[in-house]
């Protein structure tokens, strides 16, 4: 039991550290080999809020609820912290699920074929009908056959090419071509375990020391800041403008670029998602900066007047070719309307690098074993090549996809309205992605209370919200924000039936919070 | 078409570089953003032979065979370069395949249950019989149900805990306890995409600069050397003794440790697989060195008098507890008799670190999204908890496993005998793992010929073997070897029916090679 307590204290300790910045107990007397003083300082300094203190705290409360029901002022943890739709009740897309299952079990495919012909006419319980009612529409079967034919040895258990299976990359390249109207080459595609491995590879490639910088939007998903810190570079921030729905002024990027250069920092790359695309492409070309396009939300667009346009499409439309601009696009199956987070699939498309640099990227990808598991590879090919009009699955597929997207849009609207109705809270519309980032204008007394506990105001708010209601949101400081402003990040992914409960909890909590701290 | 040629030239160029060390063509005029001079020099210097030049060369020849059959002196590439059994014809283990398929499609489970009761008595084509004949034995169904119950939301599409799903880690911890007879804690287990992510995390943690060193056996799998180079540390080599079947003298480690220290290098960790275990544990404890135990071959033991013993078991048997020694054990589902390479599963068990260091490891694991895809997680739990006596699957499972292991032992013996029968070649017995590492004693004339082409002698030999016979082996220099000795690495994994062809090709090639170069 002593050991179990010791293990638990790890998490308690983590929380203590993050919430009260108390000095660390040194255990170096007991474990002499490795201490905080002797590990890589880059590891020590980097932060990753989305799996950080508040999430760990929530897990502990969840465990407490399980062990001692009734011991907390709420009976359920409602997680609005993570883009994890299927865990929150969303069902997988049928077509994707069918094809993946069939690919995992090629013998079913053969049996289906065999039995179909042998039992034709048996009406009492037609096997084909049975099997097809459980697992397969005709195009799922056909697609699974095609995919298995593309896999060397028709097995999902063999290592594939460092960049992933050629045939699947060809399907994806074709999907990109169809999307953009410009060529895409399977040799430029690396199938990755989500977007992270691709980001790490590019950081490893570009960052030589803290004198190399990466321009990152603030706020942004902290994978970038964490990866830059871990690989020893400098994050050069540029701020998105909350007043214009997180819009981007190109002048802000230019002035941050100049500021970085005046400090001796070489800006190697710029991270961004879809904003002011032509100006950005122009700037990157002119300044010799690699464009890292985070395009994981290409299928999560809710605003009716918005349509996804890839940076590659924009650059090519402007007449820029490979030689003009180095451009890496990231996509992941954890996002999108399907939300297949733990299948771990994705790709990066790497264009505009010379052959010798492409070779170095390939080498690092090999060393990192970056290529995703075969299920993730197959799923990535399905996402980029979904059922088409006329396919048996098309109707179900479209209904599922539109059902999810329209439900997400409704949830986003309800939560946005709820936040905007709160005293001192303003919240921009979600036009894509999966998150709201409402701003908290909190009273001085709350600021003082947070200071007294040595934690950021938004972390103080988020912790109170969690402890009093069981709602988990992430403090905005984990994503970056204009100094002196405070936000929380809230996903729109919890099941629609749970949204009223979230709204009620947040509204009641916020009123109580303001009553306690109002100046 | 121009673009295609340019892409191809990437690979040609890679080969040229590796095989003739010709100076690099600079393409910086065309692609100004990123050049070899401006990327991270650590990326430039690291090497990864197992997916390096000879493999790329082989892929090109394979493509050539496909495009122009008959254009090469052989009609098939025989890959003896990679531990990739399923691609070489090995069938997956039925039980694993069944459970994974069922977990991927929970509706089948429910249907099976439902239909079984509703169609009882229908004998014309009992659905239950049909379904079970294709996909499931009773214990597969039961296991899949248990696993789904352990997964939050019963879905394989949701993000899991940073360390992987708790219930699966508990199964694995129980498997480790059963294996070792000593406790294992699910909180110490990180489920990883193969072994690589765990290795990278530990290197990131331990290596601050080139003044931190890692003791590595020579020869060794180049993941370690590549990862050390990429993270900027120093590889401190210790040589295994070929004369004693790659045995390990503890005095060799001690003298290399002293030599490194005299150069100002702090040795942080020691990598090894199973050898002189008690002495190693003692040394690591005494010198404050982290023990990184590469235990991916724990199920590949062929020698009848050998049995796998984990380092944790050894350490605990010696009376050493957590506080005495920092020990990380790596395992991966790509190895073992099942060889599920592209499922990407594995674990690392992290013991003997203080709470503050454990917290840092957890953070880096989060940032790297190290936890494997859910299929890999499930498979890792199955591997550590296979069917038991009395389970319906047990007999088939045991027959499959023993069939594979005994076939591997036969293949190893045939290849070992073949290498030993060659002029100037000596080859140690394989007692585990999947590789032979025969030593080439080649004549001076061959050495001179290789020098004239500016490549290592073993790379020269491997390239000639590939070009003349289509057999792919990896030059020993990629794994390290005593300076002045030359080896090739050859897997024992090609289908048994292909082994005679390999033996014939190698024997004929070697005779011809010796006839050409004999002094």
């Amino acid at each position: 039991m002593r050991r179990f307590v010791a293990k638990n204290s790890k998490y308690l300790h983590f929380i203590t550290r993050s919430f009260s910045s108390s000095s660390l107990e040194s255990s170096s007397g007991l474990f002499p080999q490795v201490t905080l003083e002797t590990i890589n300082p880059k590891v020590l300094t980097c932060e990753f809020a989305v799996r950080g203190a508040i999430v760990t705290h929530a897990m502990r409360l969840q465990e407490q609820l399980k062990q001692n029901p009734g011991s907390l002022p709420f009976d359920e943890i409602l997680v609005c912290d993570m883009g994890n739709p299927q865990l929150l009740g969303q069902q997988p897309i049928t077509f994707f699920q069918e094809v993946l299952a069939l690919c995992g079990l090629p013998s079913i495919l053969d049996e289906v074929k065999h039995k179909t012909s042998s039992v034709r006419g048996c009406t009492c319980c037609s096997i084909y009908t049975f099997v097809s009612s459980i697992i397969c529409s005709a195009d799922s079967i056909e697609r699974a056959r095609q995919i298995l034919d593309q896999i060397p040895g028709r097995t999902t258990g063999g290592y594939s090419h460092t960049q992933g299976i050629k045939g699947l990359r060809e399907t994806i390249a074709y999907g990109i071509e169809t999307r953009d109207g410009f060529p895409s080459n399977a040799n430029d595609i690396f199938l990755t375990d989500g977007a992270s491995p691709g980001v790490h590879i590019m950081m490893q490639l570009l960052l030589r020391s803290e004198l190399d910088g990466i321009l990152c939007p603030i706020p942004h998903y902290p994978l970038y800041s964490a990866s830059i810190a871990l690989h020893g570079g400098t994050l050069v921030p540029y701020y998105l403008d909350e007043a214009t729905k997180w819009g981007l002024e190109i002048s802000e990027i230019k002035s941050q670029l100049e500021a970085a250069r005046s400090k001796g920092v070489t800006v190697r790359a710029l991270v961004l998602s879809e904003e002011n695309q032509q100006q950005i492409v122009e700037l990157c070309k002119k300044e010799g900066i690699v464009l890292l396009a985070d395009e994981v939300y290409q299928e999560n667009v809710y605003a009716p007047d918005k349509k996804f346009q890839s940076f590659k499409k924009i650059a090519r439309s402007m007449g820029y070719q490979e030689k003009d601009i180095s451009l890496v696009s990231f996509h992941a199956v954890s996002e999108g309307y399907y939300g297949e987070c733990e299948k771990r699939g994705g790709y990066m498309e790497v264009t505009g690098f010379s052959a010798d640099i492409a070779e170095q990227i390939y080498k690092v990808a090999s060393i990192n074993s970056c290529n995703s598991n075969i299920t993730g590879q197959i799923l990535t090919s399905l996402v980029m090549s979904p059922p088409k009009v006329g396919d048996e699955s098309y109707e179900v597929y479209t209904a599922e996809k539109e059902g999810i997207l329209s439900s997400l849009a409704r949830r986003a609207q309800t939560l946005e309205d709820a936040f905007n109705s709160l005293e001192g809270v303003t919240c921009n519309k979600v036009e894509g992605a999966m998150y709201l980032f409402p701003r908290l204008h909190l009273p001085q007394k709350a600021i003082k209370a947070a200071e007294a506990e040595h934690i950021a105001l938004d972390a103080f708010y988020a912790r109170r919200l969690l402890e009093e209601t069981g709602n988990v949101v992430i403090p905005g400081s984990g994503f970056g924000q204009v100094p002196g402003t405070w936000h929380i990040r809230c996903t729109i992914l919890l099941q629609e039936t749970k949204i009223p409960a979230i709204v009620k909890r947040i509204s009641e909590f916020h009123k109580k919070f303001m009553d306690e701290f109002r100046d």
Side-chain angles (χ1 to χ4, degrees), chain A:
Chain A
M1 279 318 287
R2 196 181 160 278
R3 190 155 181 286
F4 181 70
V5 174
K7 278 289 146 188
N8 258 359
S9 76
K10 168 164 91 187
Y11 297 106
L12 288 170
H13 179 69
F14 191 20
I15 292 156
T16 312
R17 183 165 86 99
S18 306
F19 278 129
S20 71
S21 71
S22 74
S23 73
L24 284 168
E25 155 215 25
S26 165
S27 2
S28 53
L30 271 179
F31 298 87
Q33 277 112 335
V34 184
T35 65
L36 288 183
E37 290 71 38
T38 64
I39 65 168
N40 180 355
K42 293 173 197 161
V43 164
L44 207 55
T45 52
C46 65
E47 295 291 343
F48 197 53
V50 288
R51 293 212 171 188
I54 192 99
V55 180
T56 314
H57 192 31
M59 286 193 291
R60 196 172 58 86
L61 293 181
Q62 187 135 45
E63 194 59 33
Q64 186 180 333
L65 271 182
K66 212 166 122 190
Q67 306 293 337
N68 292 307
S71 65
L72 291 171
F74 45 86
D75 56 3
E76 187 188 13
I77 296 278
L78 289 179
V79 286
C80 312
D81 58 306
M82 212 176 180
N84 195 359
Q86 290 199 26
L87 201 61
L88 305 177
Q90 181 177 310
Q91 290 305 303
I93 299 289
T94 306
F95 175 75
F96 296 164
Q97 199 182 23
E98 287 178 4
V99 176
L100 291 179
L102 290 168
C103 288
L105 211 57
S107 59
I108 279 194
L109 282 185
D110 302 334
E111 286 284 336
V112 166
K113 199 172 181 183
H114 171 70
K115 298 274 175 176
T116 315
S117 51
S118 71
V119 302
R120 200 174 299 278
C122 164
T123 52
C124 78
C125 52
S126 159
I127 284 158
Y128 182 75
T129 311
F130 169 67
V131 171
S132 69
S133 74
I134 312 178
I135 51 160
C136 34
S137 56
D139 55 329
S140 302
I141 297 176
E142 184 50 34
R143 182 68 74 92
R145 287 217 177 94
Q146 283 169 7
I147 288 172
L148 283 170
D149 288 344
Q150 290 171 332
I151 301 177
R154 293 186 100 241
T155 164
T156 55
Y159 277 120
S160 63
H161 187 278
T162 283
Q163 294 179 233
I165 289 167
K166 186 77 184 289
L168 300 176
R169 284 186 282 128
E170 281 164 353
T171 305
I172 290 162
Y174 181 76
I176 294 172
E177 284 187 7
T178 310
R179 184 195 69 195
D180 291 349
F182 290 95
S184 172
N185 188 321
N187 289 335
D188 296 339
I189 311 279
F190 287 72
L191 298 183
T192 52
D193 254 31
S196 310
V199 172
H200 290 307
I201 286 170
M202 294 313 299
M203 296 303 170
Q204 258 169 342
L205 184 84
L206 293 172
L207 297 173
R208 292 162 293 186
S209 75
E210 67 283 1
L211 290 178
D212 279 329
I214 308 287
L215 273 161
C216 279
I218 301 293
H220 79 294
Y221 183 64
L223 165 65
Y224 294 97
S225 46
S227 185
I228 292 166
L230 206 53
H231 295 106
T234 293
L235 185 148
V236 180
Y238 64 88
Y239 289 92
L240 302 178
D241 181 14
E242 188 160 10
T244 58
K245 291 192 203 166
W246 303 112
L248 168 58
E249 283 297 326
I250 199 86
S251 59
E252 161 71 6
I253 294 190
K254 283 183 181 160
S255 76
Q256 297 290 356
L257 177 62
E258 287 317 313
R261 283 179 177 165
S262 71
K263 289 181 206 145
V265 171
T266 307
V267 172
R268 307 299 311 271
L270 183 152
V271 174
L272 85 174
S273 25
E274 196 192 357
E275 275 295 344
N276 303 35
Q277 293 178 295
Q278 296 208 357
Q279 288 173 296
I280 296 286
V281 166
E282 203 63 61
L283 178 86
C284 287
K285 180 184 163 7
K286 179 162 163 264
E287 304 286 351
I289 294 173
V290 177
L291 182 48
L292 302 176
D294 187 333
E295 304 187 320
V296 301
Y297 292 114
Q298 57 187 268
E299 283 135 323
N300 295 70
V301 180
Y302 314 118
D305 54 334
K306 284 231 168 184
K307 193 178 171 303
F308 171 76
Q309 308 249 51
S310 77
F311 271 99
K312 190 161 150 237
K313 177 177 177 176
I314 299 293
R316 296 290 178 271
S317 306
M318 293 166 74
Y320 292 138
Q321 302 306 320
E322 291 248 350
K323 64 176 176 22
D324 298 312
I325 183 161
S326 303
L327 173 58
V328 183
S329 165
F330 303 101
H331 193 17
V333 300
S334 38
E335 325 304 336
Y337 49 89
Y338 29 81
E340 292 280 6
C341 306
E342 209 70 355
K343 294 284 196 302
R344 312 299 302 138
Y347 71 78
M348 66 171 176
E349 188 184 18
V350 181
T351 59
F353 292 88
S354 59
D356 44 15
I357 298 300
E359 188 182 297
Q360 297 297 321
I361 295 172
Y362 182 88
K363 185 178 69 181
V364 179
S366 300
I367 294 171
N368 290 1
S369 294
C370 91
N371 60 317
S372 69
N373 72 93
I374 210 130
T375 307
Q377 293 190 29
I378 294 172
L379 182 58
T380 307
S381 82
L382 297 176
V383 159
M384 294 306 288
S385 173
K388 289 183 299 295
V389 181
D391 291 346
E392 188 182 328
S393 294
Y394 182 74
E395 222 167 298
V396 171
Y397 164 77
T398 310
E400 289 173 340
K401 174 181 168 177
E402 284 172 5
I404 292 168
L405 286 174
S406 60
S407 167
L408 286 172
R410 282 194 303 274
R411 285 177 257 181
Q413 189 64 54
T414 308
L415 285 167
E416 178 200 323
D417 293 345
F419 280 117
N420 278 320
S421 75
L422 301 180
E423 178 185 354
V425 177
T426 52
C427 182
N428 276 325
K429 185 171 270 313
V430 191
E431 299 185 327
M434 304 172 166
Y435 308 100
L436 291 160
F437 202 63
R439 178 169 173 185
L440 312 173
H441 307 256
L442 298 178
Q444 279 301 320
K445 215 167 133 190
I447 296 173
K448 292 230 158 57
E451 278 173 4
E453 296 196 23
H454 302 291
I455 62 170
L457 179 58
D458 49 9
F460 176 76
Y461 184 91
R463 191 189 56 180
R464 294 275 294 239
L465 178 65
L466 169 60
E467 289 177 345
E468 293 178 28
T469 71
N471 258 33
V472 194
V473 298
I474 309 263
S477 38
F479 305 85
Q481 50 201 352
V482 173
T485 71
W486 304 104
H487 300 77
I488 51 174
R489 191 189 78 159
C490 178
T491 72
I492 57 171
L493 295 169
L494 213 69
Q495 284 157 279
E496 209 164 346
T497 51
K498 301 271 189 190
I499 298 290
I502 293 180
V503 169
K504 186 160 176 287
R505 285 180 181 191
I506 292 178
S507 305
E508 289 175 2
F509 163 79
H510 188 78
K511 187 174 176 312
K512 207 164 139 254
F513 185 94
M514 292 302 278
D515 287 347
E516 183 178 345
F517 292 106
R518 198 176 291 106
D519 294 321

